[in-house]
Amino acid sequence: MITTLPGLYLVSVGIIKPVVRLANMTGDVVCSTAMLRFINLLFNCGNLYLLYRLVCRLHPKDKTRTTARRILSALSLSTFPVLYFFNFLYYTDAGSTFFTLFTYVMTLHGCHKASALLAACAVFFRQTNIVWVAFCAGTLVANQMDDAWRAAHSKKTDDRSAKLQVPISLIGFKRVAFFTLEFFTSAGHLKSVLSVTWPYAAVAAGFLVFIWQNGGVVVGDRANHEACLNFPQIFYFFCFSFFFSLPVSLCHHRVRRFLQAMKRQPVLFLLATIVSVLLVWKFTAVHKYLLADNRHFTFYVWKRFFQRHEVLRFLLIPIYIFAAWHFQDSLKSRSLFWTLAFLACVAAATVPQKLLEFRYFIIPYLMYRLHMPLPSTPRLVLEFLLYTAVNAATLYIFVTKTFRWPDSAATQRFMW
């Protein structure tokens, strides 16, 4: 059942109708499966270009020396397995990703009104993209907070170029909390923030009106798409990100830093373990589709591992903690407040989802991978080879390993 707004269908009509008239097409081909799926192939071409623009914008140094790496990075990300697979089907993922990336490109170029218009299009493809509209606005706020933070620090150190290192401790948390409170209670700072974020606020206001009129975020099958607090979803996402970023991020130096961090701050890691146990114990939600729909790979992950024994969920907690640490360590080149804004949006995009479905991880993962330091060429080649191997395997399984349900004559296929 359809649960999203009609963005994909409106764009499909807007593209197919002119093509049909120009080519004088008639009959079933006009609205055929192939014609509709062709729309997503167009979005895929657009995603490749937008990924390249984002890589260039986010990694501007050494332009002549890293052109090939930027192209290879964009090409590799355009073949990211979960997104690549759904490029060949009539799903909202390709268009949703296109408009979200386009929104972010415009934000980075300072075209905030155009960005807000594209953000509205992204929400028309998938309602949860409102989170990434907030992320675009959050990056602008984070930039201003970073400037204010550096200015406050320079008064004490007389060094405007110095970076204030915030210790991961109760003292560090207090410093950030007090600064944030002071920033948002300053009339000057609020005026400055609103002057650049008002177009995104207008989109958010429109979305709130939609929720009020619609009685909720979901359209269509509301009973099976209810929000909940499923905190382990963010653990699944960290592990998902760790696996797909392995070729470009993992090295023995990072593993050694993790072990050293555990030695330096054992209390912090012990506290993280206790909190993780509580979240897994009390907040693991299992959607009935996850237990019943045997077309999706997540069905087999859950059935053959998580359901084997209750204790297995808890044995994964050390892996969750390492994957979470690895995630934030990969982004250490980003500023403090940008990282906080991004982590808040990742949580908002994953935790309320009751159903474990890898499609929900596409945009968070792409944003994570784009903001990592630009990998070396050999690592990018390894990443591309990994994605190609996974794509080849999933497409082969989808095409050749068909089956039927007992109560249906339709052919079923395995998919993400």
Side-chain angles (χ1 to χ4, degrees):
M1 182 178 288
I2 294 171
T3 58
T4 57
L5 294 171
L8 176 60
Y9 318 116
L10 293 174
V11 170
S12 299
V13 171
I15 294 176
I16 291 174
K17 273 203 168 184
V19 170
V20 167
R21 288 179 181 176
L22 289 171
N24 198 24
M25 293 180 179
T26 58
D28 294 338
V29 70
V30 171
C31 196
S32 64
T33 302
M35 183 67 81
L36 292 173
R37 290 177 176 175
F38 175 71
I39 302 299
N40 276 348
L41 292 179
L42 293 178
F43 278 130
N44 183 45
C45 296
N47 284 332
L48 172 59
Y49 176 73
L50 291 172
L51 287 166
Y52 175 72
R53 296 308 308 166
L54 283 169
V55 170
C56 291
R57 189 70 181 181
L58 294 169
H59 306 283
K61 295 180 180 179
D62 300 324
K63 289 186 177 181
T64 55
R65 193 160 57 91
T66 59
T67 299
R69 286 165 60 191
R70 288 178 179 147
I71 294 172
L72 183 56
S73 184
L75 178 63
S76 179
L77 285 175
S78 71
T79 64
F80 173 56
V82 185
L83 176 61
Y84 185 81
F85 179 88
F86 287 103
N87 286 333
F88 301 101
L89 302 177
Y90 194 57
Y91 278 66
T92 58
D93 300 278
S96 169
T97 302
F98 173 83
F99 280 105
T100 302
L101 294 178
F102 205 169
T103 299
Y104 192 38
V105 168
M106 290 295 102
T107 298
L108 293 178
H109 282 84
C111 305
H112 302 304
K113 293 178 184 177
S115 181
L117 181 61
L118 291 164
C121 295
V123 173
F124 257 82
F125 270 73
R126 185 169 291 166
Q127 296 92 304
T128 52
N129 283 339
I130 194 66
V131 171
W132 301 107
V133 179
F135 168 72
C136 291
T139 59
L140 302 176
V141 177
N143 288 338
Q144 297 200 12
M145 293 182 74
D146 288 330
D147 291 341
W149 181 277
R150 281 192 291 268
H153 181 236
S154 66
K155 291 177 182 178
K156 299 177 182 179
T157 63
D158 294 326
D159 182 5
R160 290 191 174 271
S161 64
K163 244 187 178 178
L164 183 58
Q165 298 297 322
V166 181
I168 304 177
S169 63
L170 183 60
I171 295 174
F173 173 79
K174 284 182 177 179
R175 288 168 67 183
V176 173
F178 284 135
F179 172 81
T180 303
L181 181 63
E182 182 182 351
F183 182 89
F184 284 106
T185 53
S186 166
H189 287 144
L190 281 178
K191 183 179 178 181
S192 179
V193 165
L194 290 174
S195 67
V196 293
T197 60
W198 69 264
Y200 307 96
V203 176
F207 188 73
L208 290 175
V209 171
F210 158 73
I211 292 175
W212 175 58
Q213 290 289 334
N214 186 57
V217 174
V218 178
V219 295
D221 187 13
R222 296 186 183 183
N224 293 312
H225 293 82
E226 296 177 341
C228 67
L229 289 177
N230 188 9
F231 284 105
Q233 279 276 29
I234 200 167
F235 297 149
Y236 310 148
F237 170 69
F238 286 147
C239 293
F240 175 91
S241 300
F242 174 69
F243 173 78
F244 281 107
S245 67
L246 268 177
V248 297
S249 64
L250 189 64
C251 61
H252 69 278
H253 298 295
R254 182 160 279 152
V255 175
R256 188 168 59 200
R257 286 203 304 273
F258 173 71
L259 296 175
Q260 291 171 347
M262 289 183 64
K263 289 180 181 178
R264 286 197 308 269
Q265 298 172 314
V267 175
L268 177 65
F269 281 90
L270 178 61
L271 181 62
T273 302
I274 294 170
V275 171
S276 299
V277 168
L278 290 173
L279 293 178
V280 170
W281 178 31
K282 293 295 185 180
F283 291 95
T284 297
V286 183
H287 198 287
K288 63 181 180 181
Y289 286 176
L290 182 61
L291 302 176
D293 194 343
N294 63 345
R295 295 172 302 171
H296 296 280
F297 296 149
T298 48
F299 169 88
Y300 299 95
V301 172
W302 199 267
K303 179 181 179 181
R304 296 181 180 180
F305 188 82
F306 287 93
Q307 279 191 309
R308 279 186 176 272
H309 198 284
E310 189 77 11
V311 75
L312 289 176
R313 291 187 297 149
F314 299 96
L315 292 178
L316 287 174
I317 287 174
I319 297 175
Y320 293 159
I321 290 174
F322 174 71
W325 181 90
H326 176 273
F327 187 88
Q328 66 83 28
D329 190 67
S330 300
L331 298 172
K332 65 182 181 180
S333 61
R334 298 294 159 181
S335 71
L336 168 67
F337 294 105
W338 182 94
T339 303
L340 292 175
F342 180 57
L343 290 175
C345 290
V346 168
T350 56
V351 170
Q353 304 284 358
K354 187 174 184 180
L355 178 62
L356 172 59
E357 191 166 351
F358 292 137
R359 291 192 302 136
Y360 300 154
F361 296 162
I362 291 174
I363 294 176
Y365 177 78
L366 289 178
M367 290 296 185
Y368 162 65
R369 171 63 180 76
L370 282 165
H371 288 89
M372 291 170 56
L374 189 62
S376 64
T377 301
R379 284 183 173 270
L380 287 171
V381 171
L382 285 175
E383 179 186 56
F384 181 74
L385 291 175
L386 171 65
Y387 289 178
T388 302
V390 173
N391 286 329
T394 52
L395 290 174
Y396 173 79
I397 292 170
F398 179 81
V399 171
T400 63
K401 305 296 182 180
T402 60
F403 65 99
R404 284 187 171 87
W405 288 333
D407 58 346
S408 173
T411 299
Q412 307 298 330
R413 300 178 186 274
F414 297 103
M415 60 197 300
W416 283 105

